């Protein structure tokens, strides 16, 4: 029975820094994605950490069956789509307020400033 393995995606905040790793005469590259390996190699790759001989660092590989790999890919895709759909907060930015204040109104006068109306700006 074979397993699928891949180097975890680069994320220096999480400690995932390996882009390429060679074991059993096979070079694994983060950009290439999943590799099908035998159980012996999968068992070894499950123990590989991001920094050699440092058990406190995160594991370097995702090792799973094909069903687990599909579920992992689907979850990552869903998370990426949610991040892409996230909109900016509904808050006026300073540049928006300045633009609204300094734009002239229809008659060519400056738009009224906060607390003043067009009528209050005229003197009798």
């Amino acid at each position: 029975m074979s397993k699928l393995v891949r180097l975890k995606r680069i994320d220096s905040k999480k400690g995932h820094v390996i882009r390429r790793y060679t074991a059993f005469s096979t070079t694994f590259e983060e950009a290439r994605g999943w590799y099908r390996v035998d159980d012996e190699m999968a068992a070894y790759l499950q123990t590989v950490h991001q920094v050699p001989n440092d058990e406190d660092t995160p594991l370097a590989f995702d090792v799973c069956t094909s069903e687990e790999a599909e579920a992992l890919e689907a979850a990552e895709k869903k998370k990426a789509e949610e991040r892409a759909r996230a909109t900016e907060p509904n808050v006026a930015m300073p540049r928006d307020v300045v633009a609204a204040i300094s734009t002239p109104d229809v008659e060519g006068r400056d738009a009224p400033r906060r607390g003043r109306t067009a009528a209050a700006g005229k003197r009798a």
Side-chain angles (χ1 to χ4, degrees), residues 19 33 37 40 56 70 74 94 98 101 111-112:
R19 293 183 189 276
V37 298
E40 178 185 353
D56 294 332
E70 289 174 7
V98 171
I101 290 173

Side-chain angles (χ1 to χ4, degrees), residues 6-20 30 48-51 56-62 72 76 79:
R6 71 170 179 186
L7 273 168
K8 293 190 179 190
R9 297 185 195 272
I10 300 294
D11 187 353
S12 59
K13 290 182 181 179
K14 292 182 180 180
H16 302 155
V17 294
I18 297 177
R19 293 183 189 276
R20 187 176 301 124
E30 181 261 337
V48 175
H49 287 265
Q50 292 286 334
V51 177
D56 294 332
T57 60
L59 294 173
F61 286 90
D62 290 323
L72 187 60
E76 288 174 351
K79 188 175 180 181

Side-chain angles (χ1 to χ4, degrees), residues 15-90:
H16 302 155
V17 294
I18 297 177
R19 293 183 189 276
R20 187 176 301 124
Y21 188 84
T22 302
F24 296 93
S25 301
T26 304
T27 300
F28 299 94
E29 295 182 27
E30 181 261 337
R32 295 213 34 215
W34 294 99
Y35 292 81
R36 188 170 300 279
V37 298
D38 62 6
D39 289 334
E40 178 185 353
M41 189 184 300
Y44 169 74
L45 294 174
Q46 278 183 315
T47 64
V48 175
H49 287 265
Q50 292 286 334
V51 177
N53 301 321
D54 187 357
E55 299 295 319
D56 294 332
T57 60
L59 294 173
F61 286 90
D62 290 323
V63 180
C64 50
T65 63
S66 58
E67 293 83 19
E68 293 168 336
E70 289 174 7
L72 187 60
E73 288 284 331
E76 288 174 351
K77 184 176 180 181
K78 182 178 178 183
K79 188 175 180 181
E81 288 173 355
E82 288 174 0
R83 269 187 270 129
R85 281 187 300 199
T87 60
E88 292 184 18
N90 192 12

Side-chain angles (χ1 to χ4, degrees), residues 104-109:
D105 67 355
V106 177
E107 297 174 8
R109 297 181 309 234

